[in-house]
Amino acid sequence: QVQLVESGGGLVQAGGSLRLSCAASGRTFTGYAMGWFRQAPGKEREFVAGITWNRGVTVYADSLKGRFSISRDNAKNTVFLQMNSLKPEDTAVYYCARGPIPVSRLAGRYDYWGQGTQVTVSS
């Protein structure tokens, strides 16, 4: 059984930063990628960034590249999402999920999901 637990969300002012964590446990993640997605009220879940466990290959949503950075600590089975220069439109619930290699931008390709962590950016 795979378990993914996100943490690090909260309320931050526009221009601020947050670092989200996703602690993974259960079956091996070798041969998989991990992705971050977000979903704002009334909107579809959208891809934010992804990284492969073994080689650390990263993929970003074009609109977020440069502000967000994904990384992983294999020894701790944890994936991070560093978010800088946050904007009110970044407000959403952020989810991590396990998916295939190469990194996919499609939520339907991911099989295990965390419960999400709320990020709220005030103007």
Side-chain angles (χ1 to χ4, degrees):
Q1 186 72 14
V2 172
Q3 287 191 324
L4 303 173
V5 180
E6 302 95 335
S7 61
L11 174 64
V12 64
Q13 287 189 332
S17 298
L18 280 175
R19 189 193 195 203
L20 305 183
S21 299
C22 172
S25 62
R27 295 181 180 177
T28 179
F29 292 85
T30 300
Y32 291 92
M34 296 297 294
W36 283 99
F37 289 77
R38 68 184 184 182
Q39 188 165 20
K43 295 189 176 181
E44 291 187 354
R45 193 167 295 189
E46 66 170 338
F47 174 79
V48 173
I51 187 168
T52 62
W53 270 111
N54 287 9
R55 303 184 70 179
V57 175
T58 58
V59 176
Y60 293 92
D62 291 341
S63 62
L64 300 175
K65 202 170 186 178
R67 291 197 300 124
F68 289 16
S69 177
I70 189 171
S71 61
R72 90 269 191 242
D73 184 334
N74 286 20
K76 297 182 178 179
N77 270 8
T78 301
V79 178
F80 305 98
L81 184 69
Q82 178 68 41
M83 306 185 295
N84 299 325
S85 303
L86 283 163
K87 305 175 181 180
E89 51 264 43
D90 294 318
T91 295
V93 178
Y94 284 71
Y95 300 89
C96 69
R98 190 188 76 168
I101 292 176
V103 175
S104 173
R105 300 169 188 259
L106 301 177
R109 299 294 311 279
Y110 290 73
D111 54 2
Y112 289 96
W113 293 80
Q115 83 289 348
T117 185
Q118 176 71 48
V119 171
T120 303
V121 184
S122 62
S123 57

